[in-house]
């Protein structure tokens, strides 16, 4: 044991064992190894059970707001009538352009209890809007530090329903409209949320690192606009900054070659923007391939750990099935990989300029975001100084982010 090797002393009060006693040392080591084996086996069984439950569409974990488990055996979900009406209100309001903060304020004013039983917050509303369960989909934890759940895919790369038979999810069109509106890509009504400037959401203040608000004819440090402090608040005229970033974008693409990583990023982004259905199908194929590879690796690790000892026939049956799934997933990926993305118009300076000139503001915003991650603006050296983009602006490309 590492602790004993470093000279640490271990005392087990209940068993009356002391690592300082030579006769107790082996008993402590054996007990620790047995406990580790039991813990590993228990963890393996729990993970396997949860994986199987997800495959079958059984809900694992706490039940989301607005739903309840209708059958304890299948653990399928159904509407909880009262809270479900609140969920519908959230999606409809968001789709109509009402901000998540306004939705929360209205619920609090009306005395509607939140999922936690306390005050509603914008984050709660946004979490409900983006949660896959309201589409009727099984979920799993996202990778990394993200707290947002993502749709679960079975070993064939397919999404799994968690709703009981006859239970309808939020309509797909309403879900899409609400999410796009909340993310700012689609605007509803005539509210102030409508993006009126090319770089809205991309510009950052170098003084504090916060976003810059587009107000009137200028981009200003968002902290200062909100009445807070910034050590070096940046400000730039909309026309000047838009023109500089546009020129940087057009020049950057025009100077690219076949070895430029940014062109690969642009191709993927343009494919997702112009062919959403094909892009989703390709993503599902890649997810299926990843799951099939993982299933085969888990099977081989389990056999190496001795879990199939004395059951060779079962192992080979499962191995053949995993191999077939892997080959089918590879075939799906190869089919989608055969589609070539045509971005030639983005690489020809004349075509790109013509496309840019003919595009409306939403299209220009989408084109710019194919390559630009963020734009950072520094404070002018003195009041009234001439705007020099090369000295005050840093354009960060997606390959650098």
């Amino acid at each position: 044991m590492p602790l004993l090797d470093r000279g640490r002393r271990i005392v087990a009060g209940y068993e009356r064992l002391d690592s300082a006693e030579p006769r107790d040392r082996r008993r402590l080591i054996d007990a620790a190894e047995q406990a580790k084996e039991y813990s590993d086996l228990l963890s393996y069984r729990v993970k396997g059970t949860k994986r199987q439950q997800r495959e079958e569409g059984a809900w694992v974990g706490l039940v989301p707001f607005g739903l309840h488990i209708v059958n304890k055996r299948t653990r399928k979900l159904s509407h909880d009538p009262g809270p479900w009406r609140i969920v519908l209100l959230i999606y409809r309001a968001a789709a109509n352009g009402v901000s998540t903060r306004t939705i929360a304020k209205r619920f609090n004013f009306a005395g509607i209890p939140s999922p936690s039983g306390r005050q509603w917050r914008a984050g709660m509303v946004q979490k409900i809007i983006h949660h896959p369960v309201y589409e009727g989909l099984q979920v799993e934890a996202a990778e990394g530090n993200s707290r947002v759940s993502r749709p679960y895919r079975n070993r064939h790369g397919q999404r799994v329903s968690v709703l009981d038979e006859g239970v309808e999810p939020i309509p797909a069109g309403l879900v899409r409209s609400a999410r796009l509106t909340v993310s700012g890509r689609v605007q509803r009504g005539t509210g102030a949320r409508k993006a009126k400037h090319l770089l809205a959401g991309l510009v950052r203040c170098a003084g504090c690192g916060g976003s810059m608000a587009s107000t009137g004819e200028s981009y200003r440090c968002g902290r200062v606009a909100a009445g807070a402090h910034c050590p070096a608040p940046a400000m730039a005229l909309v026309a000047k900054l838009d023109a500089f970033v546009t020129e940087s974008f057009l020049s950057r693409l025009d100077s690219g070659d076949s070895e430029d990583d940014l062109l690969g990023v642009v191709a993927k982004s343009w494919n997702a923007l112009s062919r959403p259905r094909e892009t989703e199908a390709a993503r599902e194929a890649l997810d299926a391939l990843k799951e099939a590879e993982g299933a085969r690796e888990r099977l081989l690790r389990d056999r190496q750990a001795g879990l199939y000892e004395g059951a060779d026939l079962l192992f080979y049956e499962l191995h053949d099935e995993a191999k077939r799934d892997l080959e089918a997933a590879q075939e799906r990926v190869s089919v989608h990989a055969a589609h070539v993305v045509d971005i030639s118009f983005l690489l020809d300076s004349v075509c790109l300029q013509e496309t840019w000139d003919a595009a409306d503001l939403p299209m220009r915003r989408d084109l710019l975001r194919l390559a630009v991650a963020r734009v950072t603006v520094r404070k002018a050296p003195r009041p009234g100084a001439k705007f020099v983009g090369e000295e005050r602006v840093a354009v960060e490309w997606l390959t650098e982010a």
Side-chain angles (χ1 to χ4, degrees):
M1 293 176 65
L3 288 175
L4 295 180
D5 293 340
R6 290 199 291 266
R8 301 295 176 85
R9 181 183 179 187
I10 299 177
V11 178
Y14 181 77
E15 295 87 353
R16 296 183 180 180
L17 301 177
D18 188 342
S19 63
E21 297 291 335
R23 60 184 174 80
D24 291 343
R25 181 182 173 92
R26 176 169 292 278
R27 292 183 62 187
L28 281 168
I29 293 175
D30 289 344
E33 290 297 329
Q34 291 174 8
K36 184 178 184 304
E37 289 177 5
Y38 175 78
S39 176
D40 291 344
L41 181 60
L42 180 62
S43 176
Y44 171 81
R45 288 175 175 172
V46 169
K47 289 180 179 178
T49 299
K50 288 188 175 182
R51 188 182 304 116
Q52 183 61 32
Q53 288 177 327
R54 286 193 173 96
E55 292 276 332
E56 295 172 352
W59 183 257
V60 180
L62 297 176
V63 181
F65 179 74
L67 298 164
H68 68 98
I69 293 176
V70 67
N71 187 319
K72 291 185 179 180
R73 182 181 62 83
T74 63
R75 293 191 65 82
K76 291 285 189 177
L77 299 177
S78 182
H79 303 158
D80 189 0
W84 182 253
R85 287 196 292 270
I86 304 303
V87 173
L88 283 173
L89 284 174
I90 289 174
Y91 275 90
R92 288 168 181 164
N96 288 327
V98 183
S99 70
T100 54
R101 183 177 298 178
T102 301
I103 294 173
K105 286 182 178 179
R106 290 178 181 177
F107 284 174
N108 290 332
F109 181 78
I112 298 174
S114 72
S116 66
R118 297 188 292 270
Q119 292 280 304
W120 282 90
R121 298 192 302 274
M124 293 180 181
V125 177
Q126 190 162 7
K127 186 175 181 180
I128 288 175
I129 292 172
H130 288 285
H131 204 301
V133 74
Y134 299 108
E135 300 172 85
L137 300 177
Q138 181 67 278
V139 302
E140 62 180 344
E143 296 178 353
N145 297 325
S146 175
R147 297 183 180 181
V148 179
S149 298
R150 63 180 181 183
Y152 172 80
R153 297 181 185 275
N154 61 20
R155 58 194 180 92
H156 301 295
Q158 300 168 336
R159 295 179 176 182
V160 179
S161 173
V162 291
L163 297 182
D164 197 35
E165 185 177 355
V167 178
E168 295 293 331
I170 300 290
L174 182 58
V175 171
R176 175 177 171 78
S177 179
R179 290 178 181 173
L180 288 176
T181 304
V182 167
S183 66
R185 296 192 61 184
V186 174
Q187 306 300 331
R188 308 290 178 188
T190 58
R193 285 175 48 83
K194 186 174 181 179
K196 298 180 180 179
H197 300 296
L198 179 66
L199 303 178
L202 282 181
V203 195
R204 296 289 182 272
C205 171
C208 61
S211 61
M212 293 179 68
S214 51
T215 56
E217 298 181 352
S218 302
Y219 294 106
R220 298 177 181 273
C221 173
R223 286 179 178 268
V224 173
H229 172 70
C230 174
M235 189 276 287
L237 291 175
V238 169
K240 297 286 187 180
L241 187 59
D242 285 0
F244 175 78
V245 175
T246 297
E247 180 61 30
S248 300
F249 166 71
L250 298 176
S251 299
R252 179 66 178 83
L253 290 188
D254 186 40
S255 63
D257 55 33
S258 59
E259 302 298 324
D260 194 341
D261 291 339
L262 183 62
L263 297 187
V265 173
V266 170
K268 291 180 181 179
S269 300
W270 176 252
N271 194 37
L273 182 65
S274 60
R275 301 170 59 187
R277 291 185 179 179
E278 292 86 346
T279 302
E280 178 64 18
R283 187 179 295 111
E284 290 182 357
L286 287 173
D287 288 340
L289 177 60
K290 183 178 179 181
E291 178 60 30
E293 290 173 341
R296 188 167 181 267
E297 291 175 2
R298 287 193 297 269
L299 186 65
L300 295 175
R301 285 199 303 268
D302 292 344
R303 189 193 189 198
Q304 189 176 8
L307 295 177
Y308 290 97
E309 187 174 351
D312 288 343
L313 181 60
L314 174 61
F315 169 77
Y316 286 118
E317 288 178 353
L318 293 175
H319 184 268
D320 289 343
E321 182 181 356
K323 184 179 179 182
R324 289 193 297 271
D325 290 341
L326 180 58
E327 291 173 349
Q330 289 171 338
E331 177 64 23
R332 287 179 62 188
V333 170
S334 65
V335 169
H336 291 287
H339 296 292
V340 179
V341 182
D342 182 15
I343 60 168
S344 58
F345 80 97
L346 293 174
L347 308 180
D348 182 275
S349 58
V350 176
C351 291
L352 180 57
Q353 187 67 59
E354 290 177 351
T355 301
W356 183 267
D357 293 340
D360 58 8
L361 178 59
M363 185 62 180
R364 288 185 177 184
R365 285 169 54 83
D366 285 338
L367 284 171
L368 199 66
R369 284 155 180 77
L370 295 177
V372 178
R374 64 180 60 88
V375 177
T376 304
V377 183
R378 289 188 291 274
K379 182 182 178 180
R382 61 185 182 279
K386 182 181 178 180
F387 177 83
V388 181
E390 291 79 2
E391 298 176 357
R392 293 185 52 202
V393 181
V395 179
E396 187 173 356
W397 308 104
L398 287 174
T399 50
E400 303 168 352

